[in-house]
Amino acid sequence: MKRFNRLIPLSLLINLAVSGLAQADKIDDYDFIMHGYIRSGILANSDGNRVDSVGLMPDGKFRLGNEDDTKIELIPQVTLKSASGVIAKIQANITHQSKCTSDWNCLDDDGKSVQFREGYAELSNLDFAPDVAFWAGKRYSSSNTSSHQFDWEYIQYNGTGGGFDNLDLGFAHFDAGIYAFSPTDETKAFPVDKNEQGYPDDYSLNLWFKKIGGSPVDLQLVGHHMNNNEKHLGAAEKGYGLTGVYNFDGFYGLSGGYSKFVVQYGHGLAAGDSLGKNGWGWANLDDTQSWRVILDGLASVGDGWEISTFAYYQKDKNYRWWSSDKDGWGRTSWVAGIRPYQQITKNFAMQYEVGYEYLDDNNYKGVDGKGKGGLTKITIAPTLTFDSGYWSRPQLRVFATYAKWDKGVSDALDGNYDWNTNTIGAGGYSRSGETDTLNFGIQAEVWF
């Protein structure tokens, strides 16, 4: 009997090993890759003091010669292929950023620890839907769209949830997903009913119709819901948004490259700071409305020249910042910029950027701050390149940036908001009454 008892653990181990081999036999292929992004450098003014980026908008800035933080993003990905042909992709996104910005789990006090911004699984080539990719977990939407030049995702849906991509409807390809997202500042907020558990999430249903009727037109429909919380009683609990994209052939049909024209509308929870996004409109009113048009493109003009362009115009009605004012106010903003890139030799390039930003905010950040006027920024950046082309990375840059702004946007330029006193603090750029700056720096930017 004792001998039999000693054999039980051994038999279990053998069974586990055999079952593991059987499971392994079901995997026909295993692949591991690592992608990533790194940017890091120094940004200082002519006095030798380190300075912040220069910009007026709550999201985005003309980034060349204008980034003062370090960001490291590592994306490990495992791909499994079964003998039957089913493909599984498992992906994580591990990020450190010296300024924890648009994330939903910067939970430490200084906001500088390593964050897991993605962790999800995807299954495709299933026997009943071979062309559809199903996913669940925490991820960035595959439809997120950004301007590299302006450092801004104007279509951005992130969070935990699930859905599918690339369902062929005949008249269009269809993506659908539901995302639950709560920004850092809201994760400690309770629902109005203290007996309820948890904290409010912005649940967004995201529906994408792509290449409608074989055309270059994409259409996105979004619905939001977020329970009210004690910080913003009376705020919107629902909203809807619409995004239309026209993808041109080349640079507006004039040259090689790419370009797109984007129109966006948001109402309620989908407006204001959440226009084209999820999770950032928790203080919106029921009647907050926003409109935006975008021109985004890159022209390839030959002889080593490529030219990136970006512009948008946005109008907000009954907008209020992350405050609890009873009524909202009006806000208008627009930007336009151009970045010519000249490849002089295979491993040396010159980059130039001119950008203008204009803000007209009747109640900047809800504290009667100054928010009407413009900012002009000009940058020259000699660049060492790994290979030829605007998108080639790594790049090592030295740069000089000159920026000049109107006094009416001094509060918006500095953007230092004190949550404890509900005031805008004095910032480094304009506290001495200056209306311009000359900045210098060096930067590495890498993606792989």
Side-chain angles (χ1 to χ4, degrees):
M1 187 68 175
K2 291 181 179 180
R3 182 182 178 185
F4 178 74
N5 289 338
R6 286 195 298 269
L7 288 176
I8 291 178
L10 180 60
S11 65
L12 289 174
L13 289 174
I14 293 173
N15 285 334
L16 287 173
V18 171
S19 63
L21 288 173
Q23 180 68 27
D25 287 342
K26 297 178 182 178
I27 299 175
D28 189 56
D29 189 27
Y30 173 97
D31 185 38
F32 174 83
I33 58 175
M34 175 83 78
H35 294 296
Y37 174 78
I38 299 171
R39 72 164 182 253
S40 185
I42 189 169
L43 179 63
N45 63 16
S46 56
D47 294 329
N49 298 320
R50 295 197 68 166
V51 292
D52 293 332
S53 301
V54 186
L56 299 182
M57 301 304 145
D59 298 305
K61 60 185 179 295
F62 286 108
R63 69 189 302 177
L64 185 65
N66 197 27
E67 291 175 316
D68 64 315
D69 62 335
T70 293
K71 181 176 181 179
I72 303 171
E73 186 176 60
L74 299 177
I75 307 174
Q77 183 185 105
V78 173
T79 302
L80 309 175
K81 185 175 181 180
S82 72
S84 65
V86 175
I87 299 172
K89 183 177 79 173
I90 303 96
Q91 178 170 304
N93 185 319
I94 307 166
T95 300
H96 162 81
Q97 190 167 356
S98 54
K99 288 184 177 180
C100 195
T101 54
S102 299
D103 200 1
W104 57 94
N105 64 339
C106 305
L107 301 180
D108 60 319
D109 291 336
D110 60 9
K112 296 179 182 178
S113 66
V114 171
Q115 310 298 327
F116 283 84
R117 293 184 170 179
E118 287 187 294
Y120 72 95
E122 178 183 291
L123 291 176
S124 60
N125 205 30
L126 300 178
D127 54 5
F128 63 90
D131 297 323
V132 181
F134 298 89
W135 65 274
K138 177 179 181 178
R139 82 161 195 176
Y140 298 159
S141 168
S142 60
S143 298
N144 284 358
T145 307
S146 65
S147 165
H148 176 75
Q149 181 183 346
F150 197 63
D151 194 19
W152 181 43
E153 282 189 308
Y154 48 87
I155 301 174
Q156 183 189 61
Y157 291 88
N158 306 328
T160 54
F164 59 83
D165 295 339
N166 201 39
L167 176 64
D168 191 349
L169 298 179
F171 70 93
H173 290 272
F174 181 47
D175 299 349
I178 185 169
Y179 296 85
F181 183 101
S182 182
T184 303
D185 293 330
E186 290 296 281
T187 55
K188 296 179 181 179
F190 294 95
V192 176
D193 185 351
K194 294 292 185 67
N195 294 319
E196 296 179 5
Q197 294 184 356
Y199 52 83
D201 270 323
D202 178 350
Y203 290 96
S204 63
L205 177 63
N206 192 329
L207 309 177
W208 266 104
F209 299 88
K210 299 182 177 180
K211 299 181 180 179
I212 297 174
S215 73
V217 175
D218 299 340
L219 183 65
Q220 178 203 41
L221 305 174
V222 177
H224 292 259
H225 179 271
M226 184 178 188
N227 286 335
N228 215 204
N229 66 68
E230 62 182 2
K231 287 186 179 180
H232 303 296
L233 299 178
E237 293 193 354
K238 59 185 178 181
Y240 59 88
L242 172 69
T243 293
V245 182
Y246 188 94
N247 299 284
F248 288 88
D249 183 14
F251 186 74
Y252 304 107
L254 302 175
S255 69
Y258 73 88
S259 55
K260 58 186 64 183
F261 173 66
V262 182
V263 178
Q264 296 178 294
Y265 171 77
H267 186 276
L269 197 59
D273 298 303
S274 234
L275 180 61
K277 300 185 177 184
N278 61 326
W280 298 99
W282 65 80
N284 288 358
L285 298 167
D286 287 329
D287 57 355
T288 300
Q289 297 182 69
S290 298
W291 301 262
R292 181 192 294 151
V293 293
I294 299 167
L295 291 170
D296 186 7
L298 176 71
S300 300
V301 296
D303 295 326
W305 284 92
E306 295 175 90
I307 302 175
S308 173
T309 63
F310 181 75
Y312 84 81
Y313 175 88
Q314 181 169 333
K315 184 75 173 178
D316 301 297
K317 180 181 178 183
N318 298 323
Y319 166 82
R320 68 177 186 183
W321 192 66
W322 307 338
S323 56
S324 296
D325 301 72
K326 181 179 179 181
D327 300 311
W329 58 88
R331 184 179 70 164
T332 301
S333 61
W334 64 271
V335 309
I338 183 170
R339 187 200 290 190
Y341 176 96
Q342 181 186 16
Q343 193 76 47
I344 296 175
T345 72
K346 184 176 182 180
N347 301 119
F348 179 74
M350 289 295 297
Q351 298 189 73
Y352 316 89
E353 187 173 77
V354 179
Y356 181 79
E357 305 173 41
Y358 181 84
L359 178 66
D360 184 356
D361 191 329
N362 293 338
N363 186 15
Y364 181 71
K365 291 195 173 180
V367 293
D368 297 321
K370 296 178 181 179
K372 185 173 183 179
L375 163 73
T376 301
K377 187 184 78 70
I378 303 171
T379 297
I380 299 175
T383 304
L384 302 181
T385 65
F386 178 72
D387 204 347
S388 298
Y390 180 90
W391 297 111
S392 175
R393 299 294 186 277
Q395 288 186 358
L396 306 181
R397 310 167 184 143
V398 294
F399 54 82
T401 294
Y402 175 74
K404 183 173 180 57
W405 55 90
D406 297 328
K407 286 187 177 181
V409 291
S410 58
D411 290 341
L413 179 80
D414 298 322
N416 296 328
Y417 183 79
D418 189 329
W419 288 96
N420 296 319
T421 62
N422 195 39
T423 60
I424 301 174
Y429 278 118
S430 62
R431 63 186 176 191
S432 59
E434 299 293 334
T435 59
D436 65 349
T437 185
L438 183 60
N439 295 343
F440 303 91
I442 185 170
Q443 183 190 53
E445 185 175 48
V446 182
W447 53 60
F448 56 90

